[in-house]
Amino acid sequence: MKKAIFRKFVWIILLALLASNLVFCLMMGGRNLRQTEEDLLDRLYMIDYALDYTGDVEQEIQEICSIEGNENIRVTVLTADGEVLADNGVPDDEQEQMENHLGREEVQQALKEGRGFAQRYSSTIHQQMLYAAVQTEEGYILRLAVPYEGLFTYLRILIPAALTGIAVAMAASFFMAERLARSITTPLNEIAAELRKVDKGEPEIFMKHYRYDELNVIIDAVNQMSAEIGGYVKKLELERIIRQEFFSNASHELKTPITSIKGYTELLESGLVTKPDVQKDFLGRIETEADRMTNLINDILMISKLETKDVQVEMTKFQIYPLIEDVLSSITPMANDYGIKVVTECKPLTVKANVQQIQELLSNLLVNGIKYNKPDGIVRLTVTADQEDMILVVSDTGVGIPKEAQRRVFERFYRVDKGRSKKMGGTGLGLSIVKHIVSYYGGSIKLESQVDVGTTFTVRLPVIAE
Ligand code: ADP
């Protein structure tokens, strides 16, 4: 590219110089012709003034032409009908045979306009000549001719001057072309080098501005794109880390019940456990561990479903109260087991949402209220509306969540009291699922808790249908 710019630049300069020199030569040539014509006219008038047409015109002309400076001129005197009276360019004896000059261009013009000019090759004296003719007061035609090469006279002087000019200009243009080419190619090379960094695993690049606006438009677009890609790559990397962490946590969580189940099964198989009540106890433990695995797998499936954004979620309009009754009836046995009272207060509301998601959300919050409660404790659920928001408040009189843990309880597999959670069949995913569902609807969740006093979750979901 640098070479191409350089070559083009030099060509343009060369052409411009040639064109300007040519125009200059043409203009000078034209000017010179006019000046020579004027000069010839002046001389013609002077000769006319000096001539005595009644005397020996031939002799007079010879004398005029012998004056210094007039050696090269040829003077012809013609009668009005074109006959040659005298001509110092042709020997006397030949003058008799000279043809009638009436037809000459300059003579014709002089007869018509008083003065006339012409340029042509004189076959009489074998030279390119410039002719000027005037009609005198006496009616003669006085003609003057000088050798005239027109533009060629000038070219002889102009060509060396033009060549020197071209040489100087070319030398300067080489230098300028080199600088211009470099000023264009350097930014391009730098941009290319910066872009190549992407190949080397550097997604974020930043390019400086140059003095060419056209380049800066590209640079701005690349910088913006690079910043976006950088952000996107970071996001992907973060997602990859979260996913990896999730899988390793999930497999670890699944390993525990599997190990227990395997242990009890091996003991039962070995025949060492013979007492029926111990055998029954072992079978019960196997069932509990299997239930824990089922819960865990269900929660993992739920999370991955919520994270797969392109899965179609069926939205329907339904009354909230019957759904709450369903959830309550499924958790009542558990509440009874733990001696917890569940109280509900619910406005008759119609919502548009996914039934399974709302069930999951309510059941997770209510089950936590029961699990992390105290004997004879209470779990209270109130459902109200505020414009298009349904407000669900689940509060309990339980163990509460310490301040420092409140921020983290929504993280996957985070448990404040691991032992208690596991004993209660907790997976550590419940609140994370709740948070996912809330954000799916663009809602909000607030947690207020005091250790040993209780916990309140307030959820706002913009799902009110009427
Ligand atoms: P888990 O399956 O362990 O209950 P969650 O994600 O539902 O998992 O909750 C995470 C942790 O938050 C629980 O392990 C528990 O320590 C704490 N937690 C959740 N809800 C309550 C509550 N209502 N009262 C006290 N602690 C709670």
Side-chain angles (χ1 to χ4, degrees), residues 299 364-365 368-369 371-372 396 398-401 409-411 414-417 421-422 425-432 449 455 457:
D299 280 358
N364 280 343
L365 291 177
N368 278 357
K371 282 195 303 192
Y372 305 106
D396 61 61
V399 294
I401 304 168
V409 286
F410 297 101
E411 287 174 18
Y414 180 82
R415 298 160 171 115
V416 181
D417 179 349
S421 163
K422 286 212 165 159
T427 60
L429 292 172
L431 285 182
S432 169
S449 185
T455 305
F457 286 97

Side-chain angles (χ1 to χ4, degrees), residues 121-341:
Y121 187 76
S122 161
S123 48
T124 321
I125 54 166
H126 308 289
Q127 223 176 347
Q128 181 74 16
M129 303 289 279
L130 173 64
Y131 295 90
V134 289
Q135 192 169 28
T136 66
E137 277 177 14
E138 291 86 350
Y140 295 98
I141 303 286
L142 193 58
R143 188 183 76 165
L144 194 58
V146 286
Y148 185 74
E149 284 180 311
L151 199 58
F152 291 100
T153 336
Y154 262 82
L155 282 184
R156 243 174 259 135
I157 316 159
L158 276 174
I159 283 175
L163 284 178
T164 320
I166 286 175
V168 172
M170 286 301 281
S173 76
F174 267 108
F175 175 68
M176 278 163 61
E178 166 73 21
R179 279 190 59 169
L180 174 78
R182 210 177 325 123
S183 80
I184 295 172
T185 53
T186 308
L188 290 178
N189 286 336
E190 284 176 12
I191 291 170
E194 197 68 19
L195 285 175
R196 251 179 250 121
K197 282 188 189 168
V198 180
D199 267 356
K200 291 175 194 145
E202 231 179 279
E204 261 185 277
I205 47 176
F206 185 79
M207 288 185 230
K208 60 174 188 198
H209 274 181
Y210 293 94
R211 61 191 159 116
Y212 301 111
D213 283 347
E214 292 79 359
L215 280 182
N216 291 338
V217 172
I218 300 172
I219 285 170
D220 284 342
V222 171
N223 280 346
Q224 196 191 338
M225 234 162 63
S226 151
E228 276 167 23
I229 293 172
Y232 186 63
V233 167
K234 270 188 199 141
K235 200 173 141 239
L236 282 182
E237 181 62 10
L238 194 72
E239 276 177 7
R240 190 187 64 77
I241 293 168
I242 290 172
R243 197 152 302 197
Q244 206 171 11
E245 231 169 60
F246 178 65
F247 279 120
S248 89
N249 282 338
S251 20
H252 179 76
E253 294 283 337
L254 281 167
K255 232 190 213 153
T256 326
I258 287 175
T259 316
S260 302
I261 291 172
K262 211 164 168 258
Y264 291 126
T265 322
E266 276 167 7
L267 274 175
L268 287 171
E269 266 179 356
S270 69
L272 292 172
V273 183
T274 48
K275 283 186 189 154
D277 53 335
V278 180
Q279 282 178 345
K280 209 171 157 211
D281 177 51
F282 277 17
L283 285 170
R285 283 168 194 245
I286 289 174
E287 201 185 345
T288 311
E289 294 299 335
D291 283 348
R292 181 181 294 177
M293 276 182 71
T294 313
N295 285 345
L296 199 59
I297 288 164
N298 282 342
D299 280 358
I300 290 171
L301 285 176
M302 188 72 195
I303 286 226
S304 73
K305 210 162 137 192
L306 284 165
E307 280 191 347
T308 324
K309 293 190 178 80
D310 38 45
V311 168
Q312 276 268 281
V313 178
E314 198 196 344
M315 296 287 190
T316 46
K317 261 191 199 175
F318 57 90
Q319 291 288 318
I320 196 70
Y321 193 69
L323 181 136
I324 288 173
E325 278 198 317
D326 272 359
V327 176
L328 286 178
S329 65
S330 72
I331 61 163
T332 305
M334 186 185 186
N336 289 342
D337 279 355
Y338 293 106
I340 308 294
K341 204 168 142 195

